[in-house]
Amino acid sequence: MQRFTLDNGLTVIVKPDRRAPTAVHMLWLRVGAMDEVDGTSGVAHVLEHMLFKGTERLAPGEFSRRVAALGGRENAFTSLDYTGYYQQVPADKLADVMALEADRFAHNRYSDEEFAKELEVVKEERRLRTEDNPRALLFEQQRAATFVASPYRRPVVGWMGDLQAMTADDARAFYRRWYVPGNAAVVVVGDVEPQAVLALARRHYGGIAARPLPERKPRPEPAQPGLRRIEVKAPAEQAVVSLAFRVPKMDSLEPGADNDDALALTVLAAVLDGYSGARLDRALTQGPDRVADSASAGNGLLGRGPQLFTLGAVPAAGKTAAQVEAALRAQVARVAEQGVSETELARVKTQWVASEVYKRDSVMGQAQELGHLWVQGLPLDADERLVARLRQVTAAQVQAVARQYFGDDQLTVATLLPQPRAGGAAPRPAAAPARH
C-alpha cells in the first residue's frame, strides 16, 4: 500500500493486488449526514444521487452508460460519516473511469427540473425503506431519542419534511462547501502499479483547484440524565425490543481508557452474539424457557460521532417485551458478575482474525476498508494493528466494561408495538438496492 497527497490536497491511496486483471477505483468524501444542518437533512444523500445527473460534458445518466460500455459496474453510497463513489473495471480501463469521476467531482451540473425528478426518487426510497419498514422506523426513532445534540440523531435519508422543502440550490451549496480536494481521497486497488496510478491521478485530479474546508463544530453530546424509553406503533406481525447504550468509541490506535474500553466492548458483543450458539442465542432462543425468536448484540467501534452498544430481540409467542428486555440485560449482568471464559475469548478473537483475512479475497472489500480507515483518520495498516490490539484484550477488561457501561443513565429502550394493517392491506415490496 502507498499513500500520496497531490498539491491541491487530494489523497491518493493505492494497493496492488494482481490476482486478476481488474481494478476498483473509489472516490471518498469525508462528508455525510452528520455534516448537514437542521432543515436540510438528507441533502448529502440527495447530492450523491445528483452526481449521476450530469456535468458540463455529460448528459444525465451518461456516466453510468459509459462505465457499462467499458465492461464495468458502478454505484455510490452515503452514510452518517462519508460519501463514496466506485467503479470496478478491467485494469486497462482505469484511466477512463478516473477521467469520468474527476469530471463529475469538479464539474457536477444539473437543471432544477432534473433535481425535482430525482428528489421524488429519494422520497420514494424513504417511504419504502423506512416508513413502510417497521424495524427501520423503530431504529430511526430510537436514534432520534438517543442523541440530543449530536447530528447522528438525523437519518441519512433525511426527514420527509426536509425533503419536501429541499431545493436544487441546497444541494449545490452542499456540493460547493464539501466537495473539495482536501476533503477527498481516491482509493485504487487491483492489478495496478502505484506510480502509474499516481501519474493518472495527477493528470485527472491534479488540476482541480484547492479550496479551504469549512470549520467543523464539535457538537458534543451532553450527558444523559436518565433512562429514555419510546414506543413505536407500526403495522407488523411481531414486536421488537431494542436497547441502545451510549459507550466510548475508538478514536486512535493508541492505548487509552476509551480506546481500550471500546475494544473490550466489541469483544463483549462478539461473546454475546459473535457466532452461532453464542450466549444470547443459547439463553434467549433455545430450550423450554425461550423468550425470543431471535436476539442480537453489536458495538460501534469506530465513527466520527458518538457510538452505541446495542442489544435487540424479537419476543417469542406469548412472551412480553418486558421479559425480553430483562433477559437481554441479564446476560450482560451475568458477564459483569461472572466474567467470560478464556475459551470464549479465544473463539471470538480467532473469528475476528479470520474475517480480516477474508476481506482480502475481494478487491472491492480491500478498497472499502482503506476508504473507511482514511475517513476515520487512521493509518493504512490500522486493520492489522487492530487485530494486534484485539489479541491483548483480557477477560478482566471484558468483565469491567460489562460492569461500567450498562446502567439506566446510558440507555434508550425502543419497543415496536405491532398494529394491524389498515383494511388488511399487504405490505409493500422491499426496496431493491438503489441504482442511479
Side-chain angles (χ1 to χ4, degrees), residues 239-321:
V240 178
V241 179
S242 178
L243 283 65
F245 297 87
R246 288 167 53 170
V247 294
K249 65 178 180 179
M250 188 175 194
D251 57 14
S252 80
L253 297 172
E254 299 304 317
D258 282 355
N259 290 337
D260 294 346
D261 285 356
L263 266 178
L265 286 160
T266 300
V267 174
L268 173 60
V271 167
L272 294 172
D273 182 38
Y275 53 90
S276 178
R279 288 193 177 208
L280 291 184
D281 190 24
R282 294 198 311 270
L284 275 68
T285 72
Q286 299 177 15
D289 297 324
R290 65 189 297 268
V291 297
D293 288 340
S294 62
S296 62
N299 182 57
L301 178 64
L302 298 170
R304 290 173 54 206
Q307 296 301 304
L308 301 172
F309 189 107
T310 57
L311 297 168
V314 174
K319 303 299 180 181
T320 67

Side-chain angles (χ1 to χ4, degrees), residues 320-352:
T320 67
Q323 288 174 301
V324 169
E325 179 185 335
L328 288 168
R329 299 192 72 175
Q331 289 305 304
V332 178
R334 182 183 173 194
V335 175
E337 294 168 6
Q338 303 174 11
V340 298
S341 70
E342 292 299 328
T343 300
E344 286 177 299
L345 271 188
R347 181 167 187 170
V348 299
K349 290 178 181 181
T350 299
Q351 289 191 321
W352 194 349

Side-chain angles (χ1 to χ4, degrees), residues 83-400:
T83 309
Y85 305 85
Y86 70 82
Q87 305 87 40
Q88 184 166 8
V89 292
D92 61 357
K93 304 300 183 183
L94 177 61
D96 300 88
V97 294
M98 192 177 287
L100 287 168
E101 190 67 87
D103 177 46
R104 70 173 176 178
F105 173 55
H107 305 296
N108 183 220
R109 298 288 186 276
Y110 48 84
S111 66
D112 288 2
E113 292 74 19
E114 193 69 36
F115 178 86
K117 288 191 298 183
E118 194 63 25
L119 188 60
E120 293 305 312
V121 173
V122 175
K123 290 178 186 177
E124 183 63 10
E125 185 178 335
R126 176 178 169 82
R127 294 185 189 102
L128 284 170
R129 295 188 174 189
T130 303
E131 295 176 3
D132 291 346
N133 184 328
R135 293 196 187 194
L137 191 63
L138 176 76
F139 299 142
E140 179 183 82
Q141 291 294 313
Q142 183 180 38
R143 184 170 284 271
T146 299
F147 298 116
V148 176
S150 171
Y152 270 24
R153 70 185 185 276
R154 294 191 294 264
V156 173
V157 74
W159 300 113
M160 183 60 86
D162 288 349
L163 294 177
Q164 290 170 338
M166 192 174 294
T167 68
D169 284 342
D170 290 329
R172 291 174 184 132
F174 196 83
Y175 169 74
R176 289 191 299 270
R177 184 176 178 86
W178 295 110
Y179 278 53
V180 303
N183 199 40
V186 169
V187 178
V188 177
V189 177
D191 188 13
V192 297
E193 294 289 345
Q195 289 299 321
V197 173
L198 176 60
L200 287 174
R202 283 174 173 157
R203 181 192 312 167
H204 296 296
Y205 290 97
I208 301 172
R211 287 185 283 121
L213 270 172
E215 179 185 1
R216 298 183 194 263
K217 300 293 186 181
R219 294 179 288 184
E221 184 68 17
Q224 185 170 326
L227 186 147
R228 297 172 185 163
R229 189 178 293 276
I230 66 167
E231 295 177 341
V232 175
K233 296 179 179 180
E237 299 297 326
Q238 291 179 289
V240 178
V241 179
S242 178
L243 283 65
F245 297 87
R246 288 167 53 170
V247 294
K249 65 178 180 179
M250 188 175 194
D251 57 14
S252 80
L253 297 172
E254 299 304 317
D258 282 355
N259 290 337
D260 294 346
D261 285 356
L263 266 178
L265 286 160
T266 300
V267 174
L268 173 60
V271 167
L272 294 172
D273 182 38
Y275 53 90
S276 178
R279 288 193 177 208
L280 291 184
D281 190 24
R282 294 198 311 270
L284 275 68
T285 72
Q286 299 177 15
D289 297 324
R290 65 189 297 268
V291 297
D293 288 340
S294 62
S296 62
N299 182 57
L301 178 64
L302 298 170
R304 290 173 54 206
Q307 296 301 304
L308 301 172
F309 189 107
T310 57
L311 297 168
V314 174
K319 303 299 180 181
T320 67
Q323 288 174 301
V324 169
E325 179 185 335
L328 288 168
R329 299 192 72 175
Q331 289 305 304
V332 178
R334 182 183 173 194
V335 175
E337 294 168 6
Q338 303 174 11
V340 298
S341 70
E342 292 299 328
T343 300
E344 286 177 299
L345 271 188
R347 181 167 187 170
V348 299
K349 290 178 181 181
T350 299
Q351 289 191 321
W352 194 349
V353 172
S355 70
E356 291 300 317
V357 173
Y358 295 149
K359 286 179 185 177
R360 299 170 189 171
D361 286 344
S362 162
V363 289
M364 180 65 72
Q366 293 177 70
Q368 289 174 326
E369 179 80 5
L370 291 171
H372 279 111
L373 295 176
W374 172 81
V375 166
Q376 304 302 333
L378 296 173
L380 301 185
D381 63 347
D383 53 348
E384 296 177 4
R385 293 169 63 181
L386 271 174
V387 169
R389 292 288 313 278
L390 169 73
R391 292 182 188 275
Q392 298 171 359
V393 174
T394 66
Q397 287 176 299
V398 176
Q399 185 175 15

Side-chain angles (χ1 to χ4, degrees), residues 51-54 58-67 74 114 436:
L51 256 75
F52 290 83
K53 300 306 174 183
L58 298 182
E62 189 174 350
F63 182 99
S64 297
R65 290 193 291 271
R66 291 199 181 190
V67 174
E74 45 75 48
E114 193 69 36
H436 304 288

